[in-house]
């Protein structure tokens, strides 16, 4: 009985309906191979003189059929049109709950292709990146193969809910995908399934804003199956990262203040338990901020205002208008920073370099105002101060004075000693009295008295207008400090401009 069954299997050629020659030959070859395996089993049982019942032989036959190569399972279409194709796919739709493989040990290879369609925004405070992605996924369904000549088409679109779809997720996702759903997917005649879905991805990203607004951000998107391990599904890239980047650049719809400068991808196999592994693919998205709006609205106005404050040193230091001008400038700069505060990133991790620059600008303006107040006080009250201490005279007058090109003026050694005018006039009157006659009239005596009074007034005015040594020292100290801060202003502005230019050039070259 077994010999007859095996002989019938060997000569079986399948139904003589409309079938492709490749499909017919492959089916006959599979059945012939199964028949030979059964014959080998029969000879082995006869040689071992074992009594194998028919039920056990049937079990062996079914086991061999299940381990046979079923990758060539084909769908039969009654007519080469779409209704017949859909009719042939109905049994496959009933298998949507299971992975589309005949042998459960067969691995399903899932290909990924990622397109960045738009960069919608970056939230520095919450460390979030919002992008619009297009995810193309393809895999093989062993139940959906057909002959294009027999069925009249090589591809067909079917509802996505009617077939098995892998559960590919983005690990960094932080919000619900609000992109419109695509309800259809494509089936190809060779068993390939191609599924494309738009994704509005709100993902977590560690943002480094130290170089704001010249910063470059690198965000990672991790794709993997949520439930299936590497024994069931394995991921691979259907295109190179370079092709993904070029295609994303050509399809980019909106970028806002960000520019896509690179896409890299790498596959990893990570252990999940003691014996299981799962595949993941990391996509590295590189973005560069467009700094022009911040340069025009923040950096240039700050540089202009601090330059105006720099030129305010041209005003006389003892003039009250200089301090009023500086106070007005500080008030205007403070209002400017309050208005432009929304342009600055808010984060608790890193302090942007531009915040340091703006704070230094404000600090320099405040220091300039304080310096003006001190200098004005020196110049208006220097006559009431005692002589400066020795360490101040050495540090400021001798050392700093030479550095800022304001050395101390040498005092005139030929200063005349002013005598007491009353005594001098009295002596002159005595001499005249000795020389002149003793009987001069009263008019001449009154003229001598008036001359003595006028001479005393003149000498007192000269003494009042002459500068004392202590007054000259304090005035010189004020002028040296004023010149020193002026030089520091020039150094600060120069270094700041050079630093900004270097950071800008380095960030662009690094990209």
């Amino acid at each position: 009985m077994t010999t007859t069954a095996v002989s019938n299997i060997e000569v079986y050629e399948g139904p003589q309906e409309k079938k492709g020659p490749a499909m017919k030959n492959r089916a006959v070859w599979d059945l012939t191979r199964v028949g030979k395996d059964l014959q080998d089993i029969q000879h082995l049982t006869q040689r071992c003189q074992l009594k194998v019942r028919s039920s056990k032989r049937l079990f062996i036959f079914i086991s061999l059929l299940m381990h046979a190569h079923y990758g060539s399972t084909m769908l039969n279409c009654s007519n080469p049109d779409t209704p017949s194709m859909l009719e042939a796919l109905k049994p496959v739709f009933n298998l949507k709950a299971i992975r589309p493989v005949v042998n459960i040990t067969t691995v399903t290879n899932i290909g990924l292709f990622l397109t960045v369609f738009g960069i919608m925004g970056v939230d520095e405070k919450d460390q979030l990146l919002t992008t619009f992605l297009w995810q193309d996924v393809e895999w093989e369904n062993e139940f959906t193969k057909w002959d294009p000549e027999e069925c009249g088409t090589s591809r067909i679109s079917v509802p996505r809910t009617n077939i098995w779809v892998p559960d590919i997720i983005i690990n960094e996702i932080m919000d619900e995908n609000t992109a419109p759903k695509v309800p259809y997917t494509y089936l190809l005649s060779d068993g390939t399934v191609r599924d494309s879905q738009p994704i509005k991805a709100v993902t977590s990203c560690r943002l480094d804003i130290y170089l704001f607004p010249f910063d470059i951000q690198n965000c990672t998107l991790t794709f993997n199956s949520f439930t299936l391990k590497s024994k069931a599904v394995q991921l691979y890239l259907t295109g190179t990262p370079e092709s993904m980047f070029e295609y994303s650049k050509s399809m980019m719809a909106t970028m806002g203040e960000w520019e896509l400068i690179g896409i890299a991808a790498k596959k990893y196999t990570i252990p999940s338990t003691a014996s299981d592994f799962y595949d993941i693919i990391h996509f590295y998205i590189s973005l560069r901020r467009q700094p022009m709006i911040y340069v025009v609205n923040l950096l240039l106005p700050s540089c202009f205002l601090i330059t105006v404050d720099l030129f305010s040193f041209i005003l006389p230091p003892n003039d009250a208008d200089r301090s009023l001008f500086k106070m007005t400038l500080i008030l205007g700069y403070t209002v400017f920073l309050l208005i432009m505060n929304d342009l600055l990133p808010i984060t608790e991790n890193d302090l942007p370099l531009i915040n340091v620059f703006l704070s230094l600008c404000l600090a320099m303006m405040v220091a300039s105002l304080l310096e003006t107040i001190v200098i004005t006080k020196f110049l208006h009250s220097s006559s009431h101060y005692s002589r400066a201490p020795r360490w101040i005279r050495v540090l400021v007058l001798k050392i700093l004075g030479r550095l800022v090109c304001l050395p101390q003026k040498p005092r005139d050694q030929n200063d005349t000693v002013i005598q007491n005018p009353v005594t001098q006039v009295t002596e002159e009157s005595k001499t005249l009295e000795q020389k002149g006659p003793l009987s001069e009239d009263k008019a001449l005596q009154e003229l001598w008295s008036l001359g003595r009074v006028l001479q005393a007034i003149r000498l007192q005015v000269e003494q009042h207008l002459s500068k004392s040594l202590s007054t000259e020292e304090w005035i010189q100290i004020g002028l040296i400090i004023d010149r020193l801060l002026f030089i520091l202003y020039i150094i600060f502005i120069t270094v700041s401009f050079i630093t900004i230019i270097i950071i800008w050039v380095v960030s662009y070259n690094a990209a």
Side-chain angles (χ1 to χ4, degrees), residues 67-361:
H67 287 82
H69 183 76
Y70 276 85
S72 59
T73 303
M74 308 290 277
L75 298 176
N76 298 324
C77 298
S78 58
N79 294 305
D81 52 22
T82 303
S84 300
M85 184 72 222
L86 292 177
E87 186 66 25
L89 286 172
K90 283 185 178 181
V92 178
F93 294 159
N94 296 329
L95 302 176
K96 63 181 180 180
I98 62 174
R99 191 162 55 90
V101 291
V102 176
N103 192 341
I104 195 64
T105 60
T106 303
V107 177
T108 301
N109 295 311
I110 301 175
L112 289 177
F113 190 92
L114 186 66
T115 303
V116 181
F117 196 71
I119 303 171
M120 305 179 67
V122 174
D123 188 346
E124 291 88 357
K125 182 178 180 180
D126 295 331
Q127 300 281 293
L128 296 178
L129 169 67
T130 304
T131 53
F132 193 84
L133 309 175
W134 196 270
Q135 173 185 281
D136 296 313
V137 184
E138 67 176 41
W139 65 94
E140 182 183 0
N141 190 324
E142 296 184 1
F143 304 140
T144 59
K145 296 182 179 180
W146 68 88
D147 185 1
E149 296 180 358
E150 179 185 353
C151 298
T153 182
S154 61
R155 61 184 296 176
I156 187 173
S157 62
V158 298
R160 195 169 184 266
T161 56
N162 286 349
I163 62 172
W164 180 86
V165 177
D167 54 342
I168 303 299
I169 62 169
I170 303 176
N171 287 342
E172 293 80 7
I173 202 76
M174 290 288 125
D175 201 356
E176 182 182 0
N177 178 22
T178 58
K181 303 296 183 181
V182 177
Y184 294 97
T185 188
Y186 277 101
L187 304 180
L188 305 184
S189 60
D190 60 353
T192 302
V193 183
R194 291 180 179 173
D195 180 65
S196 299
Q197 289 291 324
I199 302 175
K200 183 182 178 181
V202 180
T203 56
S204 62
C205 178
R206 182 171 180 81
L207 303 175
D208 184 10
I209 59 173
Y210 176 72
L211 295 178
F212 174 89
F214 312 104
D215 52 331
I216 297 176
Q217 305 298 338
N218 296 296
C219 298
T220 303
L221 302 179
T222 305
F223 288 77
N224 64 276
S225 174
F226 187 72
T227 57
L228 300 177
K229 302 299 185 290
S230 297
K231 293 181 179 179
V233 298
Q234 292 185 1
L235 306 180
Y236 69 95
L237 297 175
T238 57
T240 62
E242 291 77 13
S243 62
M244 296 181 188
F245 171 66
E246 294 298 332
Y247 187 70
S248 298
K249 290 283 287 185
S250 62
M251 298 298 295
M252 187 69 65
T254 176
M255 292 186 295
E257 63 174 318
W258 294 92
E259 177 186 2
L260 180 67
I261 61 175
I263 295 178
K266 191 172 183 180
K267 176 186 174 181
Y268 297 92
T269 301
I270 300 178
S272 60
T273 59
S275 58
D276 290 335
F277 297 85
Y278 63 94
D279 284 3
I280 64 174
I281 293 182
H282 283 323
F283 288 94
Y284 304 97
I285 312 297
S286 298
L287 308 175
R288 178 172 57 197
R289 194 190 303 265
Q290 300 286 355
M292 188 57 62
I293 183 175
Y294 301 99
V295 172
V296 173
N297 293 333
L298 284 176
L299 295 181
L300 287 183
S302 299
C303 295
F304 290 155
L305 290 176
I306 200 172
T307 304
V308 172
D309 188 59
L310 172 66
F311 280 97
S312 67
F313 283 92
I314 300 177
L315 297 175
N318 57 350
D319 192 354
D321 292 338
R322 179 172 171 178
S323 59
L324 293 177
F325 177 80
K326 289 181 176 294
M327 285 189 289
T328 305
L329 199 62
I330 292 176
L331 179 60
Y333 189 64
T334 305
V335 175
F336 166 76
L337 293 180
L338 292 176
I339 295 175
M340 295 296 155
N341 187 48
D342 294 337
L343 293 179
L344 297 175
I346 301 174
T347 179
E348 298 180 356
N349 298 330
D350 300 320
L351 182 65
L353 189 61
I354 191 174
N355 287 18
V356 178
F357 172 76
L358 298 177
S359 299
L360 285 178
C361 290

Side-chain angles (χ1 to χ4, degrees), residues 477-490:
I477 290 172
L479 295 176
I480 291 174
I481 295 176
D482 186 71
R483 178 72 63 84
L484 178 62
L485 192 57
F486 175 73
I487 295 175
L488 292 178
Y489 250 70
I490 296 177

